[in-house]
Amino acid sequence: MMDNRRSFLKKLGLAGSLLSAPSLLKASPFAKKGNIDVSSITLRGRVHSKGKGIAGVAVTDGINIAQTDKNGEYELLSNATAQFVYISVPSGYAFPEEKGIAAFYKPISKAAVVKNDFALDKLEVDDRKHHFVVWADPQVKNKSDVEQLVKQSVPDLKELVKSLPAGTLIHGIGCGDLVWDELELFEDYKKAVALTGVPFYNLIGNHDMDLEARTDDLSAHTFKQQFGPTYYSFNRGDIHYVVLDDVFFLGASKNYIGYITENQLQWLEQDLALVKPGSMIVVNLHIPTYTGQGRRMKKKEDEPGGTVANRKQLYKMLAPFKAHIMSGHTHFNDNWEEGDIMEHNHGTVCGAWWTGPICGDGTPAGYGVYEVDGSDIKWYYKGTGMTKDKQLRIYEKGRVKEYPDEISANVWNWDNKWKVEWYEDGVLKGEMQRRVSFDPWAAELYLGPQLPVKRKFVEPNLTDHMFFAKPTGQATKITVKATDRFGNIYEETI
């Protein structure tokens, strides 16, 4: 048989190379020290509260998921490529934290069996009622930006907490771009969070990556040192929260796309399999899955780094549930809804990169506030330094140059269930007309190559939440009345 095989291979001209393969394999660089270690590791431990085991807690290495048994014990077969073992904190328990940063994970040491326990404190209040805030894009570049974060945003959140009933549960989502490429400022961001007194879960943005990394796999190295895994879940009350990393680094500085990797999606399949269909899911990611920006700019396709390329796969996985998606990245405020999915693309903590009081679409620098009661969620946008009742801004006639005879109003957290009406001298004139337009103040602050002085790249954004009306020449007072989907009424008068 060997002679026949040798004869056949000679005809193909391959006999020499294939028959000498064993010696080549011995010399292969892949056999040298430094190759990827995929040796098996067994993860073991216990999840408990004051020594009493907690059953049914999801424990993961980011690849597979196990649940704790009746004694709170878990065992999970892993391998040496895994970096963390972490839990999906169950409802009814306080979020473990370290100076305001969620601490739900343990680094995996190099050993055949790795043992890690997780201690949780049982809440003394019903967590089916709680609040959370979404801080999108704090994006500090230098100590001046940090100072604004500490002196403006931190006190504002502290005042919000103070305004809530005593004992109200509240947590934060740091929705990516925590810093602006200067990764040493992660420490300053963490100090700011600690000052708020609110525990924060954090996720990675395109400005939180190691830009010298050679692949996406390595781009989150520094972020992981500071905040742990880049995708995970947790629970509070009847809500299941999921955090994803949808920034895919293309191996060159500032070159990325919106994309959710297969590793995350297969992990998410396992995670959602443990959640009862029909439940409310809150998905948090940096790059929005979708916005109206491409349509507003009349582009046939979205910018690769502006939305998530494989978003429809995520939507399919969310189909058995009700879902709210929380995103940042764009520095404008944009809401869309289809079926049981709604996405909130938030205005930013930094406004237009700490250059002025508003984002490029006229939304105030600020953050989203969400009030949870069971599986019901209500929300509003909180402008920094503003009360919750400030939800719109009116501009006098002619401020928008394209419509010189019309007054305009920016209703920045508008969605399709809002109603925006106007009154002339106390008489209801009907609903205002919504148009795609620039916010005039944003245009005055940011439009053109010389504005703003601090960071000249900032430009205004077209938005869907500008409204227009044409008053008579005799009008002395114009009032705009905006009613949100929850029946809250907001009025402004000029």
Side-chain angles (χ1 to χ4, degrees):
M1 288 293 293
M2 178 58 73
D3 290 340
N4 291 339
R5 176 175 171 79
R6 187 185 300 271
S7 175
F8 175 71
L9 292 172
K10 280 183 177 179
K11 290 179 181 178
L12 295 178
L14 299 174
S17 59
L18 288 180
L19 291 174
S20 60
S23 62
L24 289 175
L25 286 175
K26 288 178 184 178
S28 169
F30 297 105
K32 292 180 180 179
K33 186 177 180 181
N35 63 315
I36 296 174
D37 183 0
V38 292
S39 56
S40 295
I41 293 177
T42 299
L43 304 175
R44 288 179 185 157
R46 191 164 180 260
V47 183
H48 65 90
S49 180
K50 292 181 169 57
K52 184 178 180 181
I54 307 172
V57 178
V59 184
T60 183
D61 59 354
I63 305 167
N64 294 310
I65 298 176
Q67 287 183 287
T68 55
D69 64 16
K70 63 181 181 181
N71 298 314
E73 296 178 348
Y74 71 88
E75 181 170 307
L76 181 64
L77 183 63
S78 185
N79 68 71
T81 64
Q83 295 175 278
F84 303 98
V85 57
Y86 48 104
I87 62 171
S88 184
V89 177
S91 298
Y93 292 87
F95 298 138
E97 60 172 285
E98 185 175 338
K99 296 181 180 179
I101 302 299
F104 56 96
Y105 61 92
K106 303 285 180 68
I108 296 176
S109 58
K110 298 301 180 184
V113 177
V114 178
K115 190 175 186 303
N116 281 296
D117 293 346
F118 295 87
L120 299 176
D121 293 324
K122 196 165 183 59
L123 291 169
E124 297 180 358
V125 296
D126 185 352
D127 63 353
R128 287 177 294 180
K129 286 191 175 184
H130 64 271
H131 285 58
F132 67 96
V133 298
V134 177
W135 266 20
D137 303 74
Q139 202 155 337
V140 289
K141 183 72 171 177
N142 52 42
K143 292 296 184 179
S144 174
D145 296 345
V146 171
E147 185 178 9
Q148 291 187 74
L149 178 68
V150 171
K151 290 187 175 181
Q152 298 173 19
S153 307
V154 167
D156 193 89
L157 180 51
K158 291 175 72 173
E159 283 299 314
L160 172 69
V161 174
K162 191 186 299 184
S163 72
L164 302 175
T168 298
L169 294 172
I170 182 169
H171 66 275
I173 304 292
C175 205
D177 282 2
L178 312 179
V179 300
W180 185 356
D181 300 334
E182 310 299 330
L183 303 189
E184 67 274 11
L185 295 180
F186 278 146
E187 289 295 340
D188 294 270
Y189 168 79
K190 291 166 74 173
K191 289 175 183 176
V193 163
L195 291 172
T196 69
V198 175
F200 265 71
Y201 284 90
N202 299 281
L203 59 93
I204 192 169
N206 53 290
H207 287 291
D208 300 320
M209 301 188 297
D210 293 276
L211 298 180
E212 298 303 316
R214 67 183 185 183
T215 63
D216 180 67
D217 291 337
L218 302 175
S219 64
H221 176 73
T222 303
F223 180 91
K224 289 177 179 179
Q225 288 181 322
Q226 297 286 340
F227 303 102
T230 58
Y231 58 94
Y232 53 90
S233 68
F234 60 95
N235 304 275
R236 175 143 280 182
D238 295 333
I239 309 296
H240 183 67
Y241 293 85
V242 173
V243 170
L244 297 173
D245 169 8
D246 66 348
V247 183
F248 192 89
F249 180 60
L250 295 177
S253 180
K254 301 181 181 179
N255 197 359
Y256 59 88
I257 60 172
Y259 182 80
I260 304 172
T261 60
E262 176 61 23
N263 284 353
Q264 290 184 78
L265 293 178
Q266 69 86 25
W267 170 86
L268 184 60
E269 283 180 326
Q270 298 173 71
D271 180 78
L272 294 180
L274 302 176
V275 181
K276 182 181 177 182
S279 298
M280 179 63 75
I281 311 291
V282 174
V283 178
N284 306 273
L285 34 70
H286 179 63
I287 296 176
T289 66
Y290 180 75
T291 74
Q293 188 69 347
R295 169 182 49 79
R296 290 189 288 269
M297 297 180 71
K298 298 181 179 179
K299 292 187 175 182
K300 292 182 179 179
E301 296 183 1
D302 293 329
E303 294 289 337
T307 58
V308 176
N310 58 340
R311 59 183 174 268
K312 291 185 179 179
Q313 301 305 318
L314 176 63
Y315 300 160
K316 287 178 182 177
M317 296 174 69
L318 295 175
F321 309 96
K322 298 175 182 177
H324 286 270
I325 300 173
M326 308 292 164
S327 58
H329 184 58
T330 62
H331 292 248
F332 56 70
N333 209 72
D334 193 84
N335 298 303
W336 66 265
E337 183 176 19
E338 186 173 322
D340 286 330
I341 296 177
M342 184 170 190
E343 180 160 8
H344 309 260
N345 183 219
H346 295 80
T348 60
V349 171
C350 71
W353 294 269
W354 301 109
T355 61
I358 58 175
C359 301
D361 66 337
T363 299
Y367 51 96
V369 182
Y370 295 83
E371 304 170 349
V372 179
D373 186 356
S375 60
D376 293 327
I377 303 179
K378 295 181 179 179
W379 58 87
Y380 62 93
Y381 186 88
K382 173 72 172 65
T384 303
M386 300 177 180
T387 67
K388 65 181 292 185
D389 295 326
K390 180 67 175 177
Q391 296 294 323
L392 66 141
R393 186 187 307 114
I394 307 180
Y395 295 105
E396 61 271 19
K397 188 164 64 174
R399 192 76 175 269
V400 177
K401 306 302 181 188
E402 293 82 0
Y403 309 107
D405 298 326
E406 300 182 52
I407 59 101
S408 58
N410 190 334
V411 186
W412 43 78
N413 209 27
W414 174 87
D415 62 58
N416 58 15
K417 289 187 170 60
W418 283 60
K419 187 176 184 180
V420 183
E421 303 166 292
W422 70 292
Y423 295 76
E424 181 177 304
D425 294 324
V427 177
L428 176 63
K429 306 297 286 186
E431 293 193 38
M432 297 182 75
Q433 185 178 31
R434 184 170 61 89
R435 299 183 193 137
V436 173
S437 177
F438 289 112
D439 175 274
W441 190 19
E444 292 159 9
L445 289 173
Y446 308 136
L447 184 62
Q450 300 306 313
L451 294 174
V453 173
K454 182 178 178 181
R455 287 167 176 154
K456 291 181 168 45
F457 68 86
V458 176
E459 291 293 329
N461 301 110
L462 289 170
T463 179
D464 286 325
H465 46 70
M466 286 294 298
F467 293 81
F468 294 84
K470 188 175 181 179
T472 65
Q474 294 74 42
T476 60
K477 184 176 74 171
I478 301 295
T479 298
V480 174
K481 174 183 172 184
T483 306
D484 69 15
R485 63 167 58 207
F486 309 114
N488 299 308
I489 297 173
Y490 309 100
E491 290 187 2
E492 297 287 337
T493 298
I494 56 170

